[in-house]
Each structure stands twice: as structure tokens, then as C-alpha cells.
Amino acid sequence: MKTIPSLLLGWLTASTSLFAQAPWSGDLMQKGIAAVTCGAPAQDPTGTPISAGNAFTFGLFDVRNPSPSDYGPCQNVFPPTPVTTPIWYAADYHDPTWNARDLGNVFGIAIDDNGQMYTGAHGLYGTYQPLHHRYGNIGGGAASLSAAGTVYRIDKTTGLPTVYCVIPNQQPMTLSTPTFVSGPGLGNLTFDADHNQFFVTSLEDGKIYRVAAGGMTGTVLNSHDPLAPDSGNPGMPSRDDRLWAVEYHEGEVYYSVWHDGSPGNPSEIRKVGLDGSGNFVPSLDVHVAYVPGQAGWAASSPVVDLTFSLDGQTMVAGVRTMATDTRAYNHASGTHLLELVSGSWTPTHFQRTGCNNPDGEGYGGVALGMEGGTQDAVVWTSSADMVANYGPHGLFGVRLSDVPVNGMAVNSWKVPYIAGFANMPMDDRKGSGGDIEILREEACAQIEVREIHCPEEAGAPYTVDLIIDHNLTSTTVNYLQFKPCPTSSLPAGSSTVQPGPAGIVTLSPPLPANTPYPISVTLPASPMGGMVYFKVKLLNETGVECCLETVCVDLPPCDCAEILDTRIDCEPDPATGLNKYTLTFTVQNQTHLSGSPFTFSGATFLPPSGFDQSSIVLSPANIAPGTTGTVSICYYGVPGALCFNLAVHDGTEENCCALTDICLDLPPCDGHTDPEPDTCALARRIPCCPETGTAVVDFTVCNNSAVPRTYSWSFTSTPTVSCPIMLDPSDLSPAAGFIGPVPAFGCMTVSIVVRCDKFQEPGSCANLELCADPGMGLPVVCCSTVIYLPSPDEPVVKLSDPTGDGPIGLTPGEKRELTFKVQNPTDSELPVSLQFFSENGMLAVGEERFEAVLAPQSSQEVVVPITRRDNGDQSPQWTELQIIGKVLHRPLAYLPVQLLDGDRSKALPKVKKIDTIPLPSATVQLDIQTLPGRYYRVEESSDMLGEWSTTECTVTDGGYANGVFLGNGGVVNCSVPCDELEKKMFYRVVRID
């Protein structure tokens, strides 16, 4: 990077004490600005030493408007031949603290959704030319292990770096030079805006760390160790267990495994899924792709950075040359493009980055930038030797459309880290390049593909359900228009069509900003599926285009079969100690949509492990093209995830097709598991909020099947004598839409805002029924509520600490403190007397009453502890907490509470039967359903409110006096002594493994 003379440095320090001064106006970080890391030069091209305080490791470059005149070819020349190809000295900025002394060596970069910058300590830079190898004083010092694990936050306005968090477990090892002994540092980092958190890879232990975002500091929450467990020994793990790149994308965390980067052991890209809270789901850690290896001289060439195009169809992977495991270099690394082809990431292009060595000069940092205001137009990479044999080292930009399939780019933009490139040996700082991250423009509209429906007959189109939500705060959208994309802009292997409706769609009422709008379009495409692109144009009332977005849809193949429903029956199998699951699939034969229809008469399940037969003959009947039938198979296993492929074929087995990646959640075994009906939840009465003039309705739908489902929801409003107001679509935002895909045995909530303009008189109300339809002829689930305007003499009560996007959920015995806001909406004092009440007794309420006199237009919070009282055996899915107004003696609010049974992959103990035996001594006999090899304990309580105590029990075939016994996979009989003087006693069974 550019070295600033000491006199100028002193001036910058004085002038940036409050706000940094960059060559561009406004914040330092803006959309299109590139944040860059690099090694810190210890001397200039003349050999003059540069102190650590004057050698920069972090900087910003304005690459928003690359000029076509600077887009030129390589020129691999040796001195004294002059360099004539264009070099772009883009405007840059370096805060005085972004140096090797204060910030230290850093590599990975992330930018959050507010433009704040973050970078992680890193110790693996090169030694070909003198560089400063050390960590920063801000993090703890040159060789500090704490500094080696530090993630820094760099303020977007002042530029000042501070310690954001410290990733643990750094241990000392010899790094790039014999005198640099510390932890190896961090690989890369990424920001997850959906869950407001970061992910960081550690080079020390092969783990991905999850960090909660929190303003000036972050909190390390937990970690995911995807491969071999960390040994705890100092030093990096083996290359096959070493992680570097990490990037969040569409609810999943993608990361790279170092390996060798050679053709025989190429770098690997993997991903791990997240749950609704953003936590790791280790069972969803899967292989994504191998990046083609390079056969260069380097010790290894790992993938160190990843980024995705805004349309989600292109992944860019940057490779770095490593001369040793601790020393970076160049000459053997480039940039890969991977395209999403039929749902799989496939390497399609390899750019041998730079201009000197034909194997590539990449340093691994990658980002997508703009040209002429168009997003994702330029692939930017960190690179060595961008013009000639001695450099310069810096940022190498190639138009996305010009990235070669396999070779060096014909033309490029070349932005040196340090100004004044002279093509001299001291300019050639091999191994000095770092990472690059560019803050990109937000889309003017978010268009989400919610569900894809196969054609209903041969030649018919697909139907795609969309949600359109624009963020043009000063504009309402009056019209929509769907158009095909220019064929010249399409990725290889994709297509474009004219969606239906083909004309102008009038929106009534017009669509304001941040209001989801559901709409279905038809796509006339081949039933074989594939990637289809089209454009959505949003127009205002004058017909002026205010937003144009490109939508890509990965259409599934619909020329084989579709599973419409799944039934799982289960019984323990004593012979194997496993559960015997009978899986029955309702399957539609879709070969009538193809050119070669055939009847299904058999099926094969792969891999075959666990299935009693890998191939079966369909019974009781074959499934003809266009019709629906059943396929049934037995599987022996344990509760949890089961994934497999299903091939269907005709009697000759010459005609066949396959359904891939079918995943089920096998429940605990309790004889048989009839599918439970789906459920929904609504508060029974919802007040109009005086502050906003609206009521917020949280509609929760629970999918109780073993497969994900997407629901279309709608409303009805029927006037009655008691509630005569009728709501119409203009009163609800949104008025219809989709929920899902809701995971198997999971729930999802949609929030609906109801305008209360029609509610003029206190106490006036409207009935509202919301229904969710899963389609495929399955039952529709509906819930009802009443929207009302509170009376002047009653308070408004609402939950003030909602947990995420869903309802309150409690597992058996769980305790939770709920905070309610009690508001006086009137202009006079209001006596308030409330009672918190569980009508069916499922909840124990710790603070049952609240009394106060609220001042006019004031509110007060009340904390109500609740405890779930049941043990989860045969519990309903929902209960509710009622808030009763004792002055008016009527309910003021209802809070739905979901009764959870925890992780369905871990069977809850269940009491199947309970009897009292009076003679010869009073005992209670409990029949308990168990799993083989698991330990259980029996506990008792006289009132279910105090502590539960372990009771003695006698098991028919042996047990322990302290109430602990071993499960056998079936029903265990346990006898508990009973005190005849006790009026009542409650028992529960706890699994303690």
C-alpha cells in the first residue's frame, strides 16, 4: 500500500482525531468501496527502512467507477523496458492506526449491514522481501496470543480500530520467520445479516466460531468443529482438517478445507446449515464442491476466500499460493467461478490471475464490484505481478463476462497497493497480498421464490409463487411487468422465458415500501427443469420504471415423480434393538409430462443400508402415468434424520427415473405414529394499539408431518351481531401470502398488520379467521381471533419481550419469565387490576396478580414467571395464558404458548400406564416406554410446584434402589412405594443420559 511520509502522517493524525478525511465525501466505507488487507513492507524500493508505525496493513480503495481506458492487457516485460499498459492508481485512504504496530498483520475482512468494518489477525504472510511480521498493540502486542485471535472493528466514520472480540485457543508456534512465535491467527470472517452475527475460522484448531454482533463488541457464542476433533496441541491441524475461507449465504455457512490444492488432493468447499436462531446444525454439514487443483511447484494452494453474486447463481473462490504452511507466496494460484447448475455448485471458469506466471498470481482475496453503476460487473482479486515480472502487487479487476474458461485474462484493471510502480526487484513483495471485501448496493426489491408447482399436464407451464417486497420508501408501486432476460446476459446452461401474466399487472391498492406482496407467475419451460431467468419491473402511477430486478428460479425436474405425502409407522424391534419404521409415500407419477411415459411397478432405495429390501415390487397396485399411488418400505434404525434416493421403474426395469435427496425426520417409537394434524395458533382477542392505530396479528402454523410443507394463507372476516365490522383486503398488510417451507415437525409465524380505521366506538370489533392451505388435497388449518378497540376504562396488555419470529414455546418443566407491558391509553388515571391465569392448569403462574394506578398515557412493565407443569406425555400442542381484567371481569389478552416436546430425534420417556396396587403393600406401578441402553429416573412431587425428588422403584427384571433403571427398548414395569396418607402424588420419568 502507499507509504505516507512522516510529515504527512503527522498532519493526518491531527486532522483525523474526530473524523477521518478520505478522498471521497461522507463515511469512509460506502457501497462500492473496497476494504483491503496486505503485508506490511519493512523497506521501500530503494532499501530505506519503513517503521512498523508507518507500514500499513489495512486500507480502502475507491473502485466504484473503473474507466474503460484503464482496462488493458498484460505486459510481461523486464527492465529497462518501460511499462506502457494502463495502471489505475485508484483513490485510496489509510488511517494512521491501520499499521503493523497498532493493528498488526490482518487478513480476513467482513462488512456488516451498517457499513462497519471488521478484520481478523493473521500470521502467515510472505518473506521474499522484508515485511513486518507481528500482531498489533491494540490487540495485546507483537507476539500476544490474545492478539493472534483478535477480530478488530474499524469504525466507518472515524476509522479508529478497536478490539471487537477474541477467538480463543491460539497457541504458540513458529510462524513465517524464526523470531515470530505466536498463534497462527484467523483464516477469514463473514457477516450474517439474517441473524445479526459473524462467523470466523481459526487456523489454530480447525473450527468455525460463531460471534453475536453487539455494537462495539461481539460475544463468542460457540463453535463448530466439522472434521477431526481438535487435539488441543499447539500448531495448526493437518491440511485435511484446516479451514480458511468462510462465507454466509442463504441460511448456510460455506467454508473451505485447505487440503493441498493439488490435483490429487484439491481444496474443498463445504457448508453447514443453521437453525432458526442461527446456531449450527452439525447434521447439515455436507460437501459442496472440490475446486480443481493446480500442479504448480507450491507446497499447497488453498481456497482462502469466497463470495456470491447477488442473484445467488455464481460463487467466486480465491486461491492462495503457500510456499510452506506458514509462508505465503505467488505463482501457483488463481480465481475460480462456480455456477449453480441443477442445484449443485459446479466449477465452470478458472482465471489464472495476474500477468506473469501461467499458473496464476492470485493471493486469494475475491470480491464483486460495479462498473457504470451495474452491480456484480467486475471480479476483483488480490494478486501479484499484475503487469510484469516484478509486480505490481494489488487489486486485479476483470469484467465478469471476460473471465476466461481456463487461462489468463486478456484485459484487466490493475490497482497497486503502493503508488509509483517502477518494475524493480524491490517492488516484488511476494506473499504480501491479502483479502478484499466490497460493500455492495442493496437491491431495490427483494423477490423471494416461495414455492414451485410442477405442470399439471403435458405442455402446461410451471407455476411459481413469489413474494415481492420493495424498499423504495418514497415511492408506491402501482404496476408490475414480467419480461424475459436478454439471452446474451444468461449464464451457461440457463434459459429465459416470458412469464405469465404477459401484460401489465395493476396493483390495487398500490404497494408501499416494505410490504410483502404475494403473486403467482407461470413459466413455460421444459418439465426436465433447469435454471430459468426473468425480469420483474416495478412501475409507479405514471408508468415510470422505479425498479428492475432479475429473478432466477431453479425449476425441479417434473418428468419423473413427486412425493405428495409421507406416513411413518413405528414399533420397537427386540431382535435388533432398533426401531422398525414402515414408510408409506403417496407418489404421483409425472412421466406423463415427459416424452416417454411409463408405469411404476417397482422401486429401489439407495443407499440400501437399513432397508429390509433395497428393491420392491409396488403393492397393491402399479402407478400409471398421471395417477397417484403408494410406495411402502420398512427401515430399521433409530430416531433422527434419514436421507436416501428413490428410483422408480417399470416391470422391465429398462425405464426408470429417480427422486434424489429425500430426507425424513424419524420420530421416537411409540407403537405407531399416526400423522398428527397440522395446527395453528392465534391470540383469541387482539387490541388495536392506540399509538399506531393498528393491531398486529401473529399467525403461527405448525407442520406436524415428516416432510417440509409450504402453506398459502388467506383470511375471511364475517360480521356478527356482537362484532359487526367486516375487514377487507385493504385493511390487512399483507392480506394473503405464503408460509414456508415450514420444516418437518416445525412451526413458522407470519405477522399481519390490521388497520383499525373502521373501529370508531370503544368496544367495537371484527371477526378474523386465518387459514393455511398446504395444498395437495391435505386438510386446511384455520384459527380465529377478534380484533377490537379497547374501552376507555380498560388497559392495553401486550407482551413486550417477544422471542424471535415465533410463539412462546416451553418444553416439559421449563421455566420462563415473561415481561408484559400494561398501558393506560386514556387521558386520566386508570386503576388496573389484572390476574394471570392458565385455564387448563398446564402452566404454573408465579405472579398471578398485578395491581396499580397508571398515570394518563403511561405504561408499566410486569414480570410474570411461568412454568410448564406437565411431563409432555399426550400433551396438546398449544395452551394459553389468559390476562383477566378484574375490574371488568373479562379477558383482556390471550398469549398462545406452544408445548414443545424437544428434539424429536431423542425419544422422551413416556408413562404408558399407571395402576395402584393396595396389597400386600401400597405401591404404584408405572409402565414406561424406553429406548435400549438408555438410563431413566423416576421422580415424585406432591404438588408439581416445588422440587421433584427421586423415588425408590423396583424394576421387574432388576433395577436400582435410587430410582435409576436401564431401558430395554420396550415397556419397563416400575413399582414405586406409595404413602397411603398422601392425598395425591405426581410422578414423572426423566431420561438421564
Side-chain angles (χ1 to χ4, degrees), residues 927-943:
D927 289 349
I928 302 167
Q929 177 69 52
T930 67
L931 289 174
R934 305 299 173 91
Y935 286 93
Y936 298 84
R937 182 174 62 233
V938 180
E939 299 178 344
E940 64 181 13
S941 171
S942 60
D943 57 8

Side-chain angles (χ1 to χ4, degrees), residues 633-958:
I633 189 73
C634 289
Y635 174 82
Y636 292 85
V638 298
L642 170 65
C643 296
F644 56 92
N645 299 328
L646 169 61
V648 287
H649 50 81
D650 64 5
T652 66
E653 298 194 15
E654 292 182 0
N655 297 303
C656 65
C657 62
L659 297 173
T660 60
D661 300 324
I662 302 170
C663 289
L664 304 178
D665 188 1
L666 299 180
C669 196
D670 185 17
H672 68 277
T673 55
D674 290 323
E676 299 180 11
D678 296 340
T679 60
C680 60
L682 275 178
R684 281 197 278 168
R685 285 172 56 84
I686 302 175
C688 292
C689 179
E691 296 173 334
T692 63
T694 61
V696 178
V697 179
D698 289 328
F699 180 42
T700 299
V701 177
C702 292
N703 171 17
N704 294 322
S705 75
V707 294
R709 287 177 174 170
T710 297
Y711 302 78
S712 61
W713 68 267
S714 58
F715 84 96
T716 56
S717 178
T718 305
T720 60
V721 174
S722 57
C723 288
I725 298 175
M726 184 174 74
L727 301 173
D728 57 50
S730 64
D731 297 318
L732 277 71
S733 179
F738 300 95
I739 302 176
V742 182
F745 306 114
C747 300
M748 194 170 288
T749 300
V750 60
S751 292
I752 304 158
V753 178
V754 179
R755 294 171 52 191
C756 296
D757 301 351
K758 295 179 179 179
F759 298 78
Q760 300 298 322
E761 297 296 329
S764 58
C765 59
N767 297 307
L768 178 65
E769 182 181 57
L770 295 169
C771 294
D773 183 359
M776 301 179 294
L778 298 173
V780 177
V781 58
C782 297
C783 286
S784 299
T785 186
V786 172
I787 311 296
Y788 73 97
L789 187 67
S791 300
D793 52 355
E794 69 181 47
V796 174
V797 184
K798 60 183 179 181
L799 190 68
S800 63
D801 60 346
T803 55
D805 297 328
I808 299 294
L810 297 177
T811 55
E814 183 180 356
K815 299 179 180 179
R816 180 83 62 86
E817 286 191 347
L818 304 179
T819 302
F820 290 88
K821 182 179 181 181
V822 184
Q823 182 179 6
N824 174 12
T826 71
D827 294 325
S828 58
E829 286 189 342
L830 180 65
V832 175
S833 179
L834 304 178
Q835 180 177 5
F836 297 85
F837 177 65
S838 173
E839 185 175 25
N840 62 5
M842 301 293 285
L843 306 175
V845 184
E847 187 66 44
E848 295 187 348
R849 289 177 174 80
F850 169 77
E851 294 188 356
V853 177
L854 298 182
Q857 300 294 332
S858 68
S859 63
Q860 185 171 332
E861 289 190 341
V862 55
V863 178
V864 180
I866 62 172
T867 303
R868 180 172 169 184
R869 306 175 77 165
D870 70 297
N871 68 353
D873 187 34
Q874 297 181 343
S875 302
Q877 193 164 12
W878 296 94
T879 186
E880 65 182 7
L881 183 67
Q882 298 183 12
I883 298 95
I884 310 296
K886 298 191 66 177
V887 174
L888 300 175
H889 302 287
R890 67 186 183 204
L892 297 179
Y894 299 85
L895 177 66
V897 177
Q898 187 179 7
L899 302 179
L900 305 172
D901 61 0
D903 186 351
R904 286 179 178 255
S905 68
K906 299 179 180 179
L908 293 171
K910 292 187 177 181
V911 178
K912 305 281 292 182
K913 183 180 179 182
I914 183 168
D915 286 326
T916 56
I917 310 297
L919 296 174
S921 61
T923 60
V924 173
Q925 286 193 351
L926 306 174
D927 289 349
I928 302 167
Q929 177 69 52
T930 67
L931 289 174
R934 305 299 173 91
Y935 286 93
Y936 298 84
R937 182 174 62 233
V938 180
E939 299 178 344
E940 64 181 13
S941 171
S942 60
D943 57 8
M944 294 177 63
L945 297 177
E947 295 295 325
W948 289 78
S949 59
T950 300
T951 183
E952 296 181 2
C953 74
T954 301
V955 177
T956 302
D957 57 353

Side-chain angles (χ1 to χ4, degrees), residues 259 265-270 287-293 338 345-347:
H259 296 315
N265 190 16
S267 284
E268 180 184 11
I269 299 172
R270 298 180 62 87
H287 167 80
V288 174
Y290 288 109
V291 173
L338 294 87
W345 287 103
T346 304

Side-chain angles (χ1 to χ4, degrees), residues 21-44:
Q21 300 295 316
W24 50 89
S25 60
D27 290 336
L28 294 176
M29 176 47 64
Q30 301 176 25
K31 292 162 186 174
I33 298 293
V36 178
T37 54
C38 68
Q43 63 185 35
D44 67 15

Side-chain angles (χ1 to χ4, degrees), residues 243-320:
L243 313 185
W244 196 320
V246 63
E247 187 76 3
Y248 174 80
H249 177 66
E250 297 291 343
E252 297 174 308
V253 179
Y254 288 72
Y255 63 94
S256 70
V257 184
W258 187 314
H259 296 315
D260 289 337
S262 65
N265 190 16
S267 284
E268 180 184 11
I269 299 172
R270 298 180 62 87
K271 67 178 180 180
V272 59
L274 306 177
D275 62 19
S277 67
N279 198 7
F280 299 107
V281 181
S283 62
L284 299 181
D285 192 305
V286 296
H287 167 80
V288 174
Y290 288 109
V291 173
Q294 294 183 238
W297 62 270
S300 60
S301 298
V303 171
V304 301
D305 193 21
L306 298 170
T307 193
F308 291 87
S309 59
L310 291 173
D311 65 7
Q313 300 306 299
T314 302
M315 180 198 308
V316 186
V319 178
R320 187 173 181 85

Side-chain angles (χ1 to χ4, degrees), residues 496-670:
T496 186
V497 297
Q498 171 59 62
I504 300 291
V505 178
T506 302
L507 303 184
S508 181
L511 183 65
N514 302 314
T515 304
Y517 180 80
I519 189 171
S520 296
V521 299
T522 58
L523 301 179
S526 165
M528 296 179 64
M531 198 65 64
V532 175
Y533 285 76
F534 61 91
K535 290 187 176 293
V536 181
K537 182 185 293 187
L538 284 64
L539 308 170
N540 63 17
E541 61 181 344
T542 64
V544 174
E545 175 187 316
C546 51
C547 179
L548 180 65
E549 291 292 342
T550 301
V551 180
C552 58
V553 183
D554 190 5
L555 296 177
C558 290
D559 54 353
C560 180
E562 182 179 5
I563 295 177
L564 302 180
D565 200 17
T566 302
R567 172 190 169 95
I568 304 175
D569 292 297
C570 176
E571 59 181 342
D573 182 55
T576 63
L578 301 171
N579 292 337
K580 177 184 177 182
Y581 292 96
T582 301
L583 311 177
T584 303
F585 305 96
T586 302
V587 176
Q588 183 185 46
N589 183 337
Q590 296 179 328
T591 61
H592 66 295
L593 301 175
S594 71
S596 303
F598 64 92
T599 296
F600 299 163
S601 59
T604 301
F605 293 81
L606 297 173
S609 176
F611 293 100
D612 63 345
Q613 303 176 68
S614 59
S615 294
I616 61 171
V617 176
L618 299 191
S619 176
N622 296 338
I623 306 174
T627 66
T628 298
T630 59
V631 177
S632 186
I633 189 73
C634 289
Y635 174 82
Y636 292 85
V638 298
L642 170 65
C643 296
F644 56 92
N645 299 328
L646 169 61
V648 287
H649 50 81
D650 64 5
T652 66
E653 298 194 15
E654 292 182 0
N655 297 303
C656 65
C657 62
L659 297 173
T660 60
D661 300 324
I662 302 170
C663 289
L664 304 178
D665 188 1
L666 299 180
C669 196
D670 185 17

